[in-house]
Each structure stands twice: as C-alpha cells, then as structure tokens.
Amino acid sequence: MTAEQTVPGCPVDDSFDPLSPEFLSDPHAVLANLPQQGAPVFFAPRIGYYVITRHKDIEDVFKDPATYSAAVAQAPLVPLVPEAQQILLAGGHRPQPSMVSLDEPEHARLRKPAARAFSMRRVTAMIPAIEATTGKLLDDVAAEEEFDLVAALAYPLPATIVFSLMGVPEQDHPRLKQWCGYRAALAWGRPAPQDQVEIATNMAAYRKYLRDLVDKKTQEPGDDVTSDLIAIHEENPERLTLDEIASILFSLSFAGHETTTGLIGNTVRRLLEDPARWAEIADRPELIPKAVEESLRYDPSVPVWRRVTTRPVTLAGVDLPAGARLFLWLAASGRDATAFADPDTFDLHRPDAERHLAFGKGLHYCLGANLGKLEAQIAIAELARRYPRLRLAPDQRLTFHPNISFRGPQALTVQAR
Ligand code: HEM
C-alpha cells in the first residue's frame, strides 16, 4: 500500500516502522516522539496499516466485531515465500486457521467449546502444578549468583503448564518447545525466506503432533483439556470435529506461551528497575496482582493487535474505507493520558490499571487471561520470597524478538546475591 491510498484528513508517518531497531528497543520513546504527536489515527505506509493509539478508540473497535473483522489478526505482515506457504498448507495450517482470526458465526463454533473446556475450575486446579513447576525451576538455579530469569523461569514455566493442561506427556515437552520456537516471526515479523521455511516445517510437525494427540486421547482419555473437548465432540460429533479440536489446541498453546513469558519478563524487569519497588513487593506480596495489572498497562506483552474494516466507517474523526487494516497499538492505549492519570509512571498503587486493553475486549477477549495472570503472580511471589534483594545485573542491553505482537526481554540477567 502507498501513501496515495490513505484517506483525506488522515496524517501519514513515512518513518513509522514497528520492526525497526529503535522501535524494538523502546517503543514508548517512539510513541512520545511521533511527528504527528497526539494524532489518534495515522497511516504507516511501511506496513500498510492505520495506527490507532487512543484507549477509547481501540475499545470501540474491539466492541464492534461486525465493523472491525478479526480476519487479519494472524495475517503475515509480509507475504510468505511460496515454499513456506506450501509447507504450511500441506501441514494443515490454513491461512485462517484459528479462533482468534475468525468472525461470527465460525468463531463461536470454536470459542464456546474451548471456553467450556478451559474453565475456571480447570485453571484453578493448575495452581499446585504452577507452584511446583516454579519451585523446581528456581531450585535448578539456586546455586547461581547470577542467572537469566527468562531461560530459568519465564520461558519454561508457561510452556510446561500449557502442555500439561493439554495432556501432553512430559517426555514430549522438549520436542514441543523446540517446534514452538519463534512461531511469532511468521505472522508478526519479517523473517528471511530460509527462516520462513524452517519455521513452517516446525509448525507443520507441531500440527501433526496435535492431531495425533487428539486421536490418542480418544482412545485413552485423561484429566485434561483435550479429553474435555473430545467429550464435547462425543456428545455431538457435528458440533465439534476432531480437526477442530486440534485447531483449538494449536490456538491455546500458541496463545498461552510467549504471551506469558513476556508478561513475567516485563513485570520482573519493571519491578527490579526500582529497588524500592521490589522491596515493597517482597514485603507486601499482596500487591503482586496489582503489579501484574500495572505491567500489562505500562508494558504489555502483547503490545499490538490487528483488525480490518468490513465497511466504510468514521474512527476518531477519520473516514476509513472498507478493507482498511488497523494496527491497534495496545501499548499506546495504556499510556493514553485521557485514560490513565500520569500514564508514564509505573505505579504499584494505581487504582484502575486493570482497565488496560492488554487482553483485548469483547467476543475475542483472551481466553487465558486468568491463567496467564496466575502464572505471573505465582512466579513473582516465589521469586520475591526466595530473593527479597534480587537485582538487575548492571549494564545489560535488553534485546527483543523482531515481531510486532509479542514483547518481552529475550534475556534478563538478575543477581541473586
Ligand atoms: C498472559 C499474557 C497474555 C496476553 C497479554 C494475551 C493477550 C491476548 C490478546 C490481545 C488477545 C486478542 C483479543 C481480541 O482479539 O480481542 C488474546 C486472545 C486469546 N488468548 Fe490470550 N493473552 C495472554 C495469555 C494467554 C494464555 C495463557 C492463553 C491460553 C492458554 C491465551 C489464550 C488466548 C486465546 C485462545 C485467544 C483467542 C480468543 C478468541 O479469539 O476468542 N492467552 N490474548
């Protein structure tokens, strides 16, 4: 798309590139210095999207799924090479495979059984497993003076929990973790052609594994989400097919992985940035749920989500045509001064941080929000209990994976003593 395709009255920012090194290292600095500061909508020719920055406008978009379709939620930002497309198609990865990018009524067909299987009861029942896994992972680094919090805890914890929920046998976890690496690059980054082929091959293998898991669980059901979904299928096979169950599992595991790794990494980073903050958390662990909400507002692990207009519509005073692709900048909405007082301050005592839009809103509202928050809370509580004087290693340069929608430090070195 070129600048000529923008609409009258809509500012254009030729320099805006959410995959540039400056943006990846500090998106909030880019936000603070936008050339058309304060514009609630602007067009970014480098990605062909209209960028939406205000809390209210993004909320309105989420609340009107008939006008704003989810179809582009997982669309590759850059076209994939034909070889990668072939591998994905052959591996059962259709261009719009999962519930997050489906509109009604197809979306509800998957969402309803998934929500039933992924119940509060099932999430609450995971608490002992989350606590035990956190303890075990931290025991593994107990002798270290300094360790990488992401490798030690923030990465393996959500992966282990989501695979256990799905009923994946423990001996298969390492293989699955390997297949799942950097899936985000395919739809949300600009991977090089050879990387696209490698990621596509891994995703096809993962898809096949999940389909086989569904078959296995039909023979030997267990106490897991997969078996719950199969029970729904058995009530009425036309209501939910076995292929659809595999697709739901793919959604759950993908969505429940890097998102939560990022949430843990971002929250620990922000808490340790100010030693007084960490001391307060260690002293008053009841503040941890608030800290997690504030982190989701201040530095969300899913900083961007996408929609496309189904009809001409006026948004924030700009007349958008049908087919306009929207870059919903969730991270900017958390820093919107018309929505939050003193938005650039990380405040453990903020009364309304949970009004953030980090989990979306409406029909597609994140199915795993409670699980993700629970994992982060338990991880931080155990860290603070073991290490009330934990510190960030000085002079480290944080790096972030180059994609638009999943953000957290790739490594976070902390000093235990
Ligand atoms: C903890 C950090 C997480 C964040 C920041 C996050 C964020 C999001 C966002 C922004 C959406 C899109 C909402 C929309 O389109 O309105 C979403 C959807 C979704 N999330 Fe999460 N998520 C997180 C964790 C999880 C976990 C742990 C799971 C499951 C294990 C999960 C499962 C899902 C699913 C299945 C959807 C699609 C729901 C639908 O389309 O109906 N998420 N999430």
Side-chain angles (χ1 to χ4, degrees):
M1 197 183 272
T2 63
E4 292 84 69
Q5 287 169 277
T6 63
V7 293
C10 181
V12 175
D13 184 348
D14 287 312
S15 66
F16 186 83
D17 180 0
L19 294 168
S20 67
E22 304 74 52
F23 191 97
L24 291 170
S25 84
D26 192 353
H28 293 107
V30 174
L31 175 68
N33 295 306
L34 285 176
Q36 60 296 315
Q37 230 197 3
V41 182
F42 63 88
F43 185 69
R46 292 223 182 162
I47 49 172
Y49 274 75
Y50 292 86
V51 180
I52 318 295
T53 60
R54 295 261 173 88
H55 188 279
K56 180 187 177 306
D57 298 329
I58 295 179
E59 197 171 24
D60 287 349
V61 168
F62 278 135
K63 280 166 35 185
D64 183 358
T67 305
Y68 302 100
S69 159
V72 290
Q74 295 182 309
L77 209 54
V78 295
L80 297 182
V81 293
E83 196 183 347
Q85 282 179 18
Q86 268 309 317
I87 294 169
L88 290 176
L89 283 172
H93 190 86
R94 279 167 285 123
Q96 281 190 18
S98 46
M99 85 181 92
V100 77
S101 52
L102 288 173
D103 293 322
E104 303 315 310
E106 291 81 5
H107 168 254
R109 191 177 149 85
L110 296 185
R111 167 95 187 193
K112 279 192 187 148
R116 219 173 109 189
F118 204 70
S119 62
M120 201 55 207
R121 182 190 64 79
R122 180 140 318 271
V123 171
T124 313
M126 287 307 287
I127 292 176
I130 301 172
E131 287 174 344
T133 309
T134 302
K136 191 175 151 301
L137 290 168
L138 287 177
D139 285 349
D140 289 347
V141 290
E144 312 289 332
E145 289 194 1
E146 194 173 279
F147 60 90
D148 172 10
L149 180 95
V150 176
L153 182 64
Y155 184 76
L157 176 66
T160 306
I161 295 305
V162 87
F163 296 148
S164 314
L165 263 170
M166 288 157 54
V168 172
E170 212 171 320
Q171 69 268 21
D172 292 349
H173 287 193
R175 207 154 42 120
L176 264 66
K177 277 183 201 157
Q178 211 188 341
W179 285 334
C180 290
Y182 295 127
R183 285 175 299 179
L186 213 55
W188 290 277
R190 270 186 206 133
Q194 67 276 18
D195 294 341
Q196 292 181 24
V197 170
E198 191 192 328
I199 302 164
T201 307
N202 282 326
M203 271 170 65
Y206 184 50
R207 287 256 180 200
K208 177 165 184 324
Y209 178 92
L210 291 178
R211 189 61 186 79
D212 292 346
L213 179 74
V214 172
D215 282 343
K216 213 172 99 201
K217 293 277 171 189
T218 54
Q219 306 304 320
E220 301 161 38
D223 184 13
D224 49 56
V225 167
T226 309
S227 304
D228 288 356
L229 289 167
I230 290 168
I232 296 173
H233 162 80
E234 282 166 358
E235 278 169 23
N236 179 357
E238 281 177 15
R239 169 72 196 77
L240 182 68
T241 66
L242 294 178
D243 280 342
E244 285 173 326
I245 296 178
S247 164
I248 291 175
L249 293 180
F250 184 79
S251 297
L252 285 179
S253 60
F254 183 45
H257 217 146
E258 285 91 342
T259 52
T260 312
T261 299
L263 176 59
I264 297 171
N266 292 338
T267 311
V268 174
R269 171 192 179 191
R270 299 308 182 179
L271 291 174
L272 292 180
E273 261 173 6
D274 177 356
R277 233 177 252 157
W278 186 254
E280 191 173 357
I281 285 290
D283 202 35
R284 294 185 55 201
E286 69 275 14
L287 287 174
I288 291 172
K290 270 186 161 303
V292 172
E293 296 293 350
E294 179 66 343
S295 158
L296 284 160
R297 179 197 71 82
Y298 184 85
D299 191 7
S301 60
V302 178
V304 173
W305 209 245
R306 290 179 284 164
R307 289 290 190 262
V308 59
T309 56
T310 57
R311 62 174 179 90
V313 61
T314 305
L315 180 63
V318 173
D319 294 325
L320 297 171
R325 297 186 296 172
L326 309 183
F327 180 103
L328 307 176
W329 197 354
L330 307 180
S333 77
R335 302 294 187 99
D336 178 352
T338 64
F340 298 102
D342 196 9
D344 293 324
T345 299
F346 186 101
D347 180 0
L348 272 182
H349 303 277
R350 186 177 291 278
D352 59 350
E354 66 287 347
R355 287 180 39 252
H356 62 70
L357 297 172
F359 294 117
K361 188 144 200 148
L363 293 180
H364 287 273
Y365 181 78
C366 175
L367 207 54
N370 286 326
L371 175 67
K373 288 195 282 192
L374 197 61
E375 288 179 60
Q377 289 166 10
I378 291 173
I380 290 160
E382 188 55 18
L383 260 183
R385 194 185 68 76
R386 292 188 187 209
Y387 302 109
R389 275 180 288 284
L390 196 69
R391 292 183 313 276
L392 285 177
D395 304 325
Q396 55 181 317
R397 227 189 103 254
L398 300 183
T399 60
F400 297 85
H401 184 262
N403 78 87
I404 57 167
S405 279
F406 300 93
R407 181 177 170 84
Q410 288 181 299
L412 190 70
T413 312
V414 293
Q415 295 180 333
R417 279 182 278 278

